[in-house]
Amino acid sequence: MKYVLISGGVVSGLGKGVTASSIGVVLKACGLRVTSIKIDPYLNIDAGTMSPFEHGEVFVLDDGGEVDLDLGNYERFLDVTLTKDNNITTGKIYQSVLEKERRGDYLGKTVQVVPHITDAIKDWVQSVAAIPVDGQEGPADVCVIELGGTVGDIESMPFIEALRQLSFSVGPDNFCLIHVSLIPVLGVVGEQKTKPTQHSVRELRALGLTPHLLACRSAEPLLQNTKDKLSQFCHVPVENILNIHDVPNIWHIPLLLRNQNAHHSILQQLNLLEKATSPALQQWTKMAETYDNITDSVRIAMVGKYVGLTDSYLSVIKALLHACVALSLRPSIDWIAASDLEDDSAKSTPQAYATAWETLKRANCVLVPGGFGDRGVKGMMLAAKYARENNVPYLGICLGMQISVIEFARSVLGLERANSVEFDAQTPNPVVIFMPEGSRTHMGSTMRLGSRRTLLQTPDCITSKLYGNSAYVDERHRHRYEVNPDVIRTLEEAGLKFVGKDETGNRMEILELPSHPYYVGVQFHPEFKSRPARPSALFLGLILAATGKLEAYVSRRQNGS
Ligand code: GLN
């Protein structure tokens, strides 16, 4: 196994994750099999309990792992399916070491950060790197490891030490360190400053790791003089100084790296030049360039709770992007804080209320994404109602599906107090209820997580046609509540159809309103499996409907063309 470690210096938020995934893309384009590991030095065991406000979206894997959103970037860029063990946190490492300690595995020894924590890190990295993630047999050729945080952080120290030991034990031919750093410019026509990078490389070297390549983030391309300086002071050959300057869209980054021969430097370091081919990136180039030249756009109203930080819905945004690009459109996403649509806001913040409604009415389609807690749910229901009554294409994801069921029960069935027990435990009409897969009395881990099968109930529905008439789909879940099986008949008689159910027939997975051009709710999160060249069927359906092209598309597909 060959390892490419990506570390970061100077500041966080440099796009280390995108850099690491892009390096993976270039290596994959050279004919190599690539896997990846993300290390998050925080103490949380996983991202499951972390607020999307603070940390961005919680990404969900097939195996139910709730992980850092960077794993989403890896899955999308490398088209792989990762496991929860591909995301290492300090919490996970300590948990495994402490479990061993309690079992008595350390035979009375003092358990210490060095060597026990560092050994656990090395073992974890090596065993996870060997798991195939691309559907083929046997381990990949290269494992890209992204170390979160910035070099010098106290909490990343045990990881740096473990990776230093790893580099030593696997030998120079099998280890390549790429340090991502920032080259700021002071003043308007100021100089490109190399000092922060010099300092962070010095810090890294003091810890026993010397970078083989530098990936320097900057607004404008680096000047030769800047590169020369970096080379001299950071102990990195000038041809190994890569520059990631601002680009029109992130799909350009693998191309930028290829144009600077990053693959050559990496392959040389890893002694893989003979095995690898020259990078085939035709599809990427096409995708990146096509997107730059798209002029038409489609307006999507995103009605949610966490609209302040767009990373909270990163995969939804990416899935919209994939669907739009496939249709030569640019997504124009209008964020609406759901609570701004509510009656209360008309009084307390009239301007925000007016803007929110104006935005909603101007949109070509409406999307209500997943979420937890009751903040803004009234506003989401108003958005769902508006879309339903005005034939505006609607996609409700997870919470968004539950919202459409509650709204339908209230408006159409006249059950004014219909609700989810998540928002009103005493509701007389619980249309969304708690349905744990395991024991009802067991505390914790009550979330339904990961890939589950949905059986399509009839070929005669939009969803089935969009999914290519397949009998079932496997999509990822992350929820606790579900549509109450006792109300299905009543809802269906009133016109809301449940066209996708789980294998028991008790759990509602997909709803549609056949009288509407596109009104779809799904209990799962289709955004997690959307890929740049393979957009999610349901996002594609939403955008097709928003631009009046759904019927033509469906009939073309039905005719096999
Ligand atoms: N809060 C809802 C539930 O737990 C929806 C979850 C979600 O949207 N991911 O069922």
PDB file of all heavy atoms in Angstrom, residues 112-125:
ATOM      1  N   GLN A 112      -0.475   4.489  27.499  1.00  0.00           N
ATOM      2  CA  GLN A 112      -0.013   5.855  27.234  1.00  0.00           C
ATOM      3  C   GLN A 112      -0.312   6.292  25.800  1.00  0.00           C
ATOM      4  O   GLN A 112      -0.551   5.454  24.921  1.00  0.00           O
ATOM      5  CB  GLN A 112       1.495   5.906  27.472  1.00  0.00           C
ATOM      6  CG  GLN A 112       1.846   5.662  28.938  1.00  0.00           C
ATOM      7  CD  GLN A 112       3.335   5.698  29.162  1.00  0.00           C
ATOM      8  OE1 GLN A 112       4.055   4.855  28.636  1.00  0.00           O
ATOM      9  NE2 GLN A 112       3.799   6.656  29.928  1.00  0.00           N
ATOM     10  N   VAL A 113      -0.235   7.623  25.607  1.00  0.00           N
ATOM     11  CA  VAL A 113      -0.473   8.148  24.248  1.00  0.00           C
ATOM     12  C   VAL A 113       0.547   7.541  23.289  1.00  0.00           C
ATOM     13  O   VAL A 113       0.199   7.060  22.205  1.00  0.00           O
ATOM     14  CB  VAL A 113      -0.418   9.700  24.239  1.00  0.00           C
ATOM     15  CG1 VAL A 113      -0.507  10.230  22.816  1.00  0.00           C
ATOM     16  CG2 VAL A 113      -1.553  10.278  25.082  1.00  0.00           C
ATOM     17  N   VAL A 114       1.809   7.610  23.694  1.00  0.00           N
ATOM     18  CA  VAL A 114       2.848   6.894  22.947  1.00  0.00           C
ATOM     19  C   VAL A 114       3.300   5.750  23.839  1.00  0.00           C
ATOM     20  O   VAL A 114       3.709   5.994  24.969  1.00  0.00           O
ATOM     21  CB  VAL A 114       4.048   7.826  22.649  1.00  0.00           C
ATOM     22  CG1 VAL A 114       5.105   7.063  21.850  1.00  0.00           C
ATOM     23  CG2 VAL A 114       3.608   9.068  21.900  1.00  0.00           C
ATOM     24  N   PRO A 115       3.177   4.514  23.454  1.00  0.00           N
ATOM     25  CA  PRO A 115       2.911   4.008  22.115  1.00  0.00           C
ATOM     26  C   PRO A 115       1.462   3.553  21.864  1.00  0.00           C
ATOM     27  O   PRO A 115       1.154   3.212  20.729  1.00  0.00           O
ATOM     28  CB  PRO A 115       3.818   2.774  22.067  1.00  0.00           C
ATOM     29  CG  PRO A 115       3.734   2.216  23.456  1.00  0.00           C
ATOM     30  CD  PRO A 115       3.629   3.427  24.365  1.00  0.00           C
ATOM     31  N   HIS A 116       0.593   3.567  22.887  1.00  0.00           N
ATOM     32  CA  HIS A 116      -0.671   2.850  22.668  1.00  0.00           C
ATOM     33  C   HIS A 116      -1.632   3.568  21.729  1.00  0.00           C
ATOM     34  O   HIS A 116      -2.208   2.951  20.831  1.00  0.00           O
ATOM     35  CB  HIS A 116      -1.321   2.516  24.020  1.00  0.00           C
ATOM     36  CG  HIS A 116      -0.408   1.685  24.868  1.00  0.00           C
ATOM     37  ND1 HIS A 116       0.318   2.205  25.921  1.00  0.00           N
ATOM     38  CD2 HIS A 116      -0.047   0.381  24.759  1.00  0.00           C
ATOM     39  CE1 HIS A 116       1.072   1.252  26.451  1.00  0.00           C
ATOM     40  NE2 HIS A 116       0.877   0.135  25.761  1.00  0.00           N
ATOM     41  N   ILE A 117      -1.766   4.890  21.938  1.00  0.00           N
ATOM     42  CA  ILE A 117      -2.664   5.633  21.037  1.00  0.00           C
ATOM     43  C   ILE A 117      -2.056   5.667  19.627  1.00  0.00           C
ATOM     44  O   ILE A 117      -2.732   5.404  18.625  1.00  0.00           O
ATOM     45  CB  ILE A 117      -2.904   7.070  21.570  1.00  0.00           C
ATOM     46  CG1 ILE A 117      -3.702   7.010  22.889  1.00  0.00           C
ATOM     47  CG2 ILE A 117      -3.607   7.933  20.539  1.00  0.00           C
ATOM     48  CD1 ILE A 117      -5.131   6.536  22.782  1.00  0.00           C
ATOM     49  N   THR A 118      -0.762   5.954  19.568  1.00  0.00           N
ATOM     50  CA  THR A 118      -0.127   6.038  18.247  1.00  0.00           C
ATOM     51  C   THR A 118      -0.163   4.683  17.524  1.00  0.00           C
ATOM     52  O   THR A 118      -0.398   4.631  16.316  1.00  0.00           O
ATOM     53  CB  THR A 118       1.315   6.564  18.367  1.00  0.00           C
ATOM     54  OG1 THR A 118       1.960   5.874  19.441  1.00  0.00           O
ATOM     55  CG2 THR A 118       1.326   8.050  18.649  1.00  0.00           C
ATOM     56  N   ASP A 119       0.021   3.597  18.271  1.00  0.00           N
ATOM     57  CA  ASP A 119      -0.064   2.269  17.635  1.00  0.00           C
ATOM     58  C   ASP A 119      -1.476   2.020  17.120  1.00  0.00           C
ATOM     59  O   ASP A 119      -1.668   1.470  16.030  1.00  0.00           O
ATOM     60  CB  ASP A 119       0.281   1.159  18.641  1.00  0.00           C
ATOM     61  CG  ASP A 119       1.788   1.008  18.812  1.00  0.00           C
ATOM     62  OD1 ASP A 119       2.530   1.652  18.034  1.00  0.00           O
ATOM     63  OD2 ASP A 119       2.217   0.267  19.720  1.00  0.00           O
ATOM     64  N   ALA A 120      -2.459   2.433  17.928  1.00  0.00           N
ATOM     65  CA  ALA A 120      -3.848   2.210  17.507  1.00  0.00           C
ATOM     66  C   ALA A 120      -4.130   2.985  16.212  1.00  0.00           C
ATOM     67  O   ALA A 120      -4.815   2.494  15.312  1.00  0.00           O
ATOM     68  CB  ALA A 120      -4.812   2.640  18.609  1.00  0.00           C
ATOM     69  N   ILE A 121      -3.575   4.193  16.112  1.00  0.00           N
ATOM     70  CA  ILE A 121      -3.779   4.998  14.893  1.00  0.00           C
ATOM     71  C   ILE A 121      -3.155   4.293  13.688  1.00  0.00           C
ATOM     72  O   ILE A 121      -3.787   4.137  12.638  1.00  0.00           O
ATOM     73  CB  ILE A 121      -3.179   6.420  15.061  1.00  0.00           C
ATOM     74  CG1 ILE A 121      -3.936   7.182  16.158  1.00  0.00           C
ATOM     75  CG2 ILE A 121      -3.231   7.186  13.739  1.00  0.00           C
ATOM     76  CD1 ILE A 121      -3.272   8.490  16.598  1.00  0.00           C
ATOM     77  N   LYS A 122      -1.911   3.843  13.871  1.00  0.00           N
ATOM     78  CA  LYS A 122      -1.225   3.173  12.748  1.00  0.00           C
ATOM     79  C   LYS A 122      -1.983   1.925  12.311  1.00  0.00           C
ATOM     80  O   LYS A 122      -2.185   1.686  11.120  1.00  0.00           O
ATOM     81  CB  LYS A 122       0.199   2.765  13.180  1.00  0.00           C
ATOM     82  CG  LYS A 122       1.204   3.882  13.087  1.00  0.00           C
ATOM     83  CD  LYS A 122       2.627   3.357  13.280  1.00  0.00           C
ATOM     84  CE  LYS A 122       2.849   2.860  14.698  1.00  0.00           C
ATOM     85  NZ  LYS A 122       4.167   2.315  14.963  1.00  0.00           N
ATOM     86  N   ASP A 123      -2.411   1.132  13.294  1.00  0.00           N
ATOM     87  CA  ASP A 123      -3.130  -0.102  12.956  1.00  0.00           C
ATOM     88  C   ASP A 123      -4.417   0.206  12.215  1.00  0.00           C
ATOM     89  O   ASP A 123      -4.781  -0.447  11.242  1.00  0.00           O
ATOM     90  CB  ASP A 123      -3.487  -0.894  14.237  1.00  0.00           C
ATOM     91  CG  ASP A 123      -2.234  -1.445  14.900  1.00  0.00           C
ATOM     92  OD1 ASP A 123      -1.170  -1.406  14.251  1.00  0.00           O
ATOM     93  OD2 ASP A 123      -2.329  -1.871  16.071  1.00  0.00           O
ATOM     94  N   TRP A 124      -5.111   1.223  12.719  1.00  0.00           N
ATOM     95  CA  TRP A 124      -6.394   1.598  12.106  1.00  0.00           C
ATOM     96  C   TRP A 124      -6.170   2.017  10.643  1.00  0.00           C
ATOM     97  O   TRP A 124      -6.852   1.545   9.731  1.00  0.00           O
ATOM     98  CB  TRP A 124      -7.023   2.751  12.904  1.00  0.00           C
ATOM     99  CG  TRP A 124      -8.469   2.989  12.589  1.00  0.00           C
ATOM    100  CD1 TRP A 124      -9.008   3.254  11.357  1.00  0.00           C
ATOM    101  CD2 TRP A 124      -9.571   2.969  13.504  1.00  0.00           C
ATOM    102  NE1 TRP A 124     -10.366   3.410  11.450  1.00  0.00           N
ATOM    103  CE2 TRP A 124     -10.728   3.245  12.762  1.00  0.00           C
ATOM    104  CE3 TRP A 124      -9.665   2.758  14.882  1.00  0.00           C
ATOM    105  CZ2 TRP A 124     -11.996   3.318  13.350  1.00  0.00           C
ATOM    106  CZ3 TRP A 124     -10.932   2.844  15.456  1.00  0.00           C
ATOM    107  CH2 TRP A 124     -12.082   3.111  14.698  1.00  0.00           C
ATOM    108  N   VAL A 125      -5.197   2.904  10.459  1.00  0.00           N
ATOM    109  CA  VAL A 125      -4.929   3.409   9.103  1.00  0.00           C
ATOM    110  C   VAL A 125      -4.604   2.234   8.178  1.00  0.00           C
ATOM    111  O   VAL A 125      -5.162   2.109   7.079  1.00  0.00           O
ATOM    112  CB  VAL A 125      -3.766   4.436   9.123  1.00  0.00           C
ATOM    113  CG1 VAL A 125      -3.231   4.692   7.717  1.00  0.00           C
ATOM    114  CG2 VAL A 125      -4.226   5.738   9.764  1.00  0.00           C
TER     115      VAL A 125
END
